[in-house]
Amino acid sequence: MKALAAFSLIAARLAATSPTGAECLCTYDETCWPSSSDFSQLQGQVSQPLIYPLPTASACYPVSNPSGNCTAVLENSADPIWRASMPGSMEAPNFETFIFKNGTIDACYSNTTLGIPCGQGSVPVIGVDARSPEDIQAAVNFAVNHNLKLVVKNTGHDFMGRSAARGAFVVWTHNMKNITYNSQFVPQGAPSNETYDAITLGAGVQWHEAYDAINRYGRMMVGGASDGGSVGAAGGWILGGGHSALAPTYGLGVDNVVEMTVVLSTGEYLTVNDHQYSDLYWALRGGGGGTYGILTSVTYRTYPSLPVAFYLFEANATSSSAMQDMFTELMHRQVQFSDDGWAGYGSSTNSSMYFFYIAPNMSTAQANATTQGWTDYAQALTSQGISSSALITQFASWYDWYTEVYSSPGQNGMNRMMASRLLSRDTLENGYQDISKVFFDCGASWNLVAGGKVSEIDPDSVGLNPAWRDAIIEALCVVQWPDGTPSQEIHEKVDEVKSLIKAIHDATPNDSAYFNEASLFEVDWQQTFFGSHYAALKTIKDKYDPHRLFIVAEGVGSEDWNTELTCRI
Ligand SMILES: Cc1cc2nc3c(=O)[nH]c(=O)nc-3n(C[C@H](O)[C@H](O)[C@H](O)COP(=O)(O)OP(=O)(O)OC[C@H]3O[C@@H](n4cnc5c(N)ncnc54)[C@H](O)[C@@H]3O)c2cc1C
Ligand SMILES: *[C@@H]1O[C@H](CO)[C@@H](O)[C@H](O)[C@H]1NC(C)=O
Ligand SMILES: *[C@@H]1O[C@H](CO)[C@@H](O)[C@H](O)[C@H]1NC(C)=O
Ligand SMILES: *[C@@H]1O[C@H](CO)[C@@H](O)[C@H](O)[C@H]1NC(C)=O
Ligand SMILES: *[C@@H]1O[C@H](CO)[C@@H](O)[C@H](O)[C@H]1NC(C)=O
Ligand SMILES: *[C@@H]1O[C@H](CO)[C@@H](O)[C@H](O)[C@H]1NC(C)=O
Ligand SMILES: *[C@@H]1O[C@H](CO)[C@@H](O)[C@H](O)[C@H]1NC(C)=O
Ligand SMILES: *[C@@H]1O[C@H](CO)[C@@H](O)[C@H](O)[C@H]1NC(C)=O
Ligand SMILES: *[C@@H]1O[C@H](CO)[C@@H](O)[C@H](O)[C@H]1NC(C)=O
Ligand SMILES: *[C@@H]1O[C@H](CO)[C@@H](O)[C@H](O)[C@H]1NC(C)=O
Ligand SMILES: *[C@@H]1O[C@H](CO)[C@@H](O)[C@H](O)[C@H]1NC(C)=O
């Protein structure tokens, strides 16, 4: 019975072919789109009303969204928590837009004086507000039955717009907010003495919620850092790897999972860990979001809360070339910062620089001793027009530090693309000159989130790109543009990103990039994002996603699809 059902579903998917005979998925504007009675049937199987996502700014266009509140859009559109709370809203609004081949942009801009009507762009048109694995099973079965283009959306923070697609059906995981702490967690299928001090997060939990919850138990965990804590704690972040300022101490997100639950395209709901479905469990830890199934929860290890030492460095320069020399030297010294136990974030332009690093459980004396070399080096540059300041302080707990630095929502909601690289120990020790120039010229930011424990873990223990084990920092160049920019200028921005990527590759041919923080234009992305694990990940994807429902840009298996990821090639 089960096998028969699976066979007829595959047959249904093969039946949908494009005029050229290619195997295509069904999108909103086509005659294959399900009827309203099909959708009523789906409605009968899920716990919440079906959702009809709209672009963020639709509220400013009464024709598109008569009940919308434009004041709220104008007030909140830079707030990542607010954006993540809506199924049609992406962190970077460019991923809500769609550019036709002729250059026309279908978009909905919050700037109404541009005089452009509000279009749906790449925002999915209908979907399921999932609250349980059963809701997701119903949604997945429906999508497979009707051969729909499906996307999974959690916070919409993806830097490649993987949580949106034009004319798609969406599974929205945002409201799966369950959090359960268990100091004696036993994975399913494990011997009863295999216990973990662990926290289980539903797929929609965001980092600020996870941190608040675990702090109440006097504990902390490896997680992401962003203004407002808006990144999803159990979606794309962990599936892509999950970096953290605590990673150099405890390993990356993927190194801290003990169990996951997932719904497959077959509708099966699996609990995966080291004892069951260990191949899928391996792939889900770093093999990429939106590729193998829909994660419904993640169980993470937790650690006793520790104090952290904090080092804040700032500098201003009157000379761009003096700044460049300082930046180059700072990159070179990242290995030492890392080996001394530091982790954190920084950013530089041609006239200013700042970075702030933390070290768990480090005394102030040790913090001073390990940073004095850099502080002195910078101070000695006063004669070259560089003024700098350094501050060392202690926070009573990691959570206190996080709250101080990240609790305000910040400024997001910009149209953006990025080029990035994981810089290895070898590059930073021996080949740092050329790559430092590329990143200095783009006004780079960097994340010191690898090295330490990340380097000590067996690269083959999880699906994640082994290159993470050699990395020390991730460096990034971000390209931004305002709403209303014509498509020709956007294409110029794309060319800028492409030439940055080329320069980065030329300077560091043996390094890699992080699947979650990169662009749609990565060179040889299978190698760059997954390295030697690609073939194994593809085999596991084919095994667990027989209906080929889960396809995302530059994700495992996506090379078999067209650019729109709607037709197999
Ligand atoms: C402001 C900001 C700060 C960031 N900080 C960090 C950081 O500190 N560390 C770090 O490692 N990364 C960081 N990132 C990158 C982040 O990891 C990615 O943006 C990631 O894709 C976010 O995942 P999400 O689930 O929140 O977002 P979404 O855009 O909703 O999802 C991302 C991808 O995962 C898929 N997906 C989401 N949920 C599921 C699910 N339940 N099952 C299957 N697939 C799913 C989506 O389909 C999509 O392909 C940051 C990003 C931003 C915008
Ligand atoms: C619209 O949003 C603004 C800002 O968030 C709020 O103050 C106002 O009460 C809202 N208006 C309505 C009608 O909900
Ligand atoms: C571009 O193509 C789209 C989709 O076919 C169409 O709606 C639009 O009118 C075209 N624009 C121009 C300027 O031809
Ligand atoms: C909105 O667009 C108009 C017209 O291009 C422009 O003059 C104005 O600066 C824009 N406003 C904002 C807030 O970007
Ligand atoms: C969430 O937690 C509650 C209480 O522990 C439980 O009853 C419910 O089944 C959980 N929901 C999901 C989707 O796991
Ligand atoms: C669990 O018990 C078994 C058998 O007594 C033992 O071999 C194993 O080492 C124990 N494992 C842990 C994690 O304590
Ligand atoms: C510094 O960068 C700004 C823009 O980021 C640019 O306009 C300026 O020319 C640069 N200055 C030097 C000296 O390179
Ligand atoms: C923190 O430092 C103290 C004092 O050096 C040490 O005793 C303790 O073991 C450390 N804790 C951890 C978890 O590293
Ligand atoms: C480190 O300690 C020395 C000697 O006490 C002091 O002069 C210096 O200011 C300290 N550095 C920082 C960054 O606090
Ligand atoms: C750098 O410049 C900024 C802005 O002018 C100023 O706030 C900051 O104090 C300066 N920092 C240093 C170390 O000179
Ligand atoms: C890249 O790796 C190859 C093979 O290991 C080596 O020959 C080459 O020198 C490396 N290139 C750089 C720039 O490190």
Side-chain angles (χ1 to χ4, degrees):
M1 184 62 205
K2 219 173 171 189
L4 192 65
F7 173 78
S8 65
L9 293 180
I10 290 171
R13 283 177 85 75
L14 288 174
T17 53
S18 77
T20 58
E23 192 188 325
C24 289
L25 298 172
C26 186
T27 55
Y28 177 60
D29 48 10
E30 298 176 304
T31 53
C32 54
W33 192 248
S35 66
S36 51
S37 83
D38 293 329
F39 281 114
S40 331
Q41 233 171 35
L42 172 63
Q43 181 63 80
Q45 296 166 5
V46 295
S47 67
Q48 306 299 314
L50 294 179
I51 49 170
Y52 300 85
L54 291 170
T56 311
S58 64
C60 297
Y61 298 81
V63 176
S64 304
N65 183 359
S67 61
N69 182 344
C70 185
T71 313
V73 173
L74 298 176
E75 262 179 28
N76 299 313
S77 68
D79 178 343
I81 297 282
W82 181 78
R83 297 185 77 91
S85 72
M86 297 175 295
S89 191
M90 306 300 145
E91 165 96 353
N94 46 307
F95 296 117
E96 297 178 20
T97 72
F98 185 85
I99 305 184
F100 290 106
K101 291 215 166 65
N102 64 14
T104 297
I105 306 179
D106 187 34
C108 187
Y109 299 122
S110 57
N111 186 347
T112 53
T113 46
L114 291 165
I116 301 169
C118 174
Q120 185 77 9
S122 292
V123 174
V125 288
I126 189 167
V128 169
D129 174 4
R131 304 294 169 106
S132 64
E134 292 75 22
D135 282 345
I136 294 183
Q137 287 172 306
V140 160
N141 291 339
F142 184 81
V144 168
N145 266 321
H146 294 278
N147 193 37
L148 303 183
K149 170 72 191 161
L150 172 138
V151 293
V152 184
K153 195 220 175 205
N154 182 24
T155 66
H157 278 39
D158 193 87
F159 285 118
M160 295 193 208
R162 299 182 183 108
S163 33
R166 187 170 174 80
F169 173 78
V170 61
V171 174
W172 189 41
T173 58
H174 172 74
N175 289 311
M176 297 184 71
K177 293 288 192 187
N178 261 22
I179 299 181
T180 314
Y181 172 70
N182 183 349
S183 64
Q184 302 277 307
F185 182 86
V186 180
Q188 211 177 86
S192 60
N193 64 346
E194 187 189 321
T195 64
Y196 299 88
D197 196 303
I199 188 167
T200 300
L201 308 177
V205 173
Q206 292 165 274
W207 280 118
H208 70 101
E209 296 159 329
Y211 294 148
D212 289 349
I214 199 61
N215 184 58
R216 282 186 225 115
Y217 297 95
R219 301 187 68 86
M220 61 183 194
M221 64 193 295
V222 172
S226 71
D227 293 330
S230 59
V231 175
W237 183 86
I238 187 63
L239 292 163
H243 69 64
S244 168
L246 289 176
T249 311
Y250 299 109
L252 292 160
V254 290
D255 303 322
N256 282 279
V257 177
V258 296
E259 183 165 283
M260 291 166 149
T261 59
V262 60
V263 173
L264 304 181
S265 62
T266 56
E268 286 166 280
Y269 172 60
L270 303 182
T271 299
V272 305
N273 57 40
D274 278 332
H275 304 278
Q276 45 193 43
Y277 307 104
S278 57
D279 54 351
L280 177 59
Y281 180 53
W282 182 83
L284 289 171
R285 287 175 295 161
T291 302
Y292 310 90
I294 303 183
L295 206 55
T296 50
S297 73
V298 180
T299 304
Y300 288 102
R301 290 170 192 264
T302 75
Y303 299 93
S305 183
L306 290 177
V308 297
F310 178 74
Y311 178 70
L312 170 66
F313 178 86
E314 285 183 315
N316 295 321
T318 50
S319 148
S320 174
S321 72
M323 197 61 170
Q324 183 173 342
D325 290 348
M326 182 161 90
F327 178 79
T328 303
E329 181 61 21
L330 180 64
M331 291 298 106
H332 188 35
R333 292 193 190 212
Q334 292 309 296
V335 172
Q336 191 60 51
F337 273 105
S338 173
D339 289 349
D340 286 337
W342 293 99
Y345 309 95
S347 153
S348 169
T349 69
N350 58 16
S351 61
S352 70
M353 167 193 287
Y354 75 89
F355 63 90
F356 52 99
Y357 288 174
I358 59 166
N361 210 30
M362 188 190 275
S363 69
T364 300
Q366 208 184 337
N368 187 311
T370 54
T371 55
Q372 197 66 51
W374 173 258
T375 307
D376 290 348
Y377 163 85
Q379 226 97 70
L381 297 174
T382 314
S383 58
Q384 292 173 47
I386 291 183
S387 68
S388 63
S389 72
L391 168 83
I392 289 172
T393 183
Q394 284 282 338
F395 285 90
S397 69
W398 177 88
Y399 182 78
D400 283 356
W401 168 75
Y402 173 84
T403 308
E404 170 82 17
V405 177
Y406 291 108
S407 53
S408 86
Q411 290 294 309
N412 287 276
M414 283 298 297
N415 298 296
R416 100 175 15 156
M417 288 182 293
M418 60 173 58
S420 72
R421 204 71 165 161
L422 294 173
L423 301 182
S424 67
R425 174 177 290 266
D426 180 51
T427 294
L428 291 171
E429 278 176 345
N430 306 310
Y432 61 95
Q433 301 268 6
D434 292 351
I435 193 65
S436 294
K437 176 160 181 12
V438 177
F439 281 112
F440 178 77
D441 287 346
C442 81
S445 55
W446 69 92
N447 304 322
L448 173 53
V449 288
K453 182 71 185 264
V454 175
S455 308
E456 291 161 19
I457 292 170
D458 174 6
D460 296 327
S461 62
V462 292
L464 182 75
N465 189 347
W468 268 103
R469 308 303 169 185
D470 301 323
I472 300 289
I473 70 168
E474 181 197 22
L476 312 102
C477 302
V478 176
V479 171
Q480 303 193 140
W481 64 95
D483 275 359
T485 300
S487 54
Q488 195 187 328
E489 282 174 42
I490 295 175
H491 288 308
E492 284 163 15
K493 294 284 179 189
V494 168
D495 289 342
E496 195 179 326
V497 171
K498 285 179 178 169
S499 69
L500 279 167
I501 290 170
K502 182 170 187 317
I504 291 169
H505 270 254
D506 289 349
T508 58
N510 294 343
D511 283 345
S512 290
Y514 179 28
F515 179 79
N516 280 348
E517 295 181 322
S519 81
L520 293 166
F521 317 105
E522 194 52 67
V523 177
D524 193 9
W525 57 262
Q526 291 92 333
Q527 178 61 32
T528 299
F529 292 144
F530 304 104
S532 60
H533 286 168
Y534 189 79
L537 290 168
K538 179 94 192 279
T539 303
I540 295 167
K541 193 236 175 346
D542 290 345
K543 174 178 170 187
Y544 285 97
D545 181 18
H547 298 306
R548 301 182 182 115
L549 184 63
F550 303 111
I551 311 294
V552 295
E554 295 176 0
V556 170
S558 65
E559 66 271 27
D560 298 338
W561 295 76
N562 64 355
T563 321
E564 294 77 26
L565 305 178
T566 49
C567 295
R568 275 170 65 80
I569 50 177

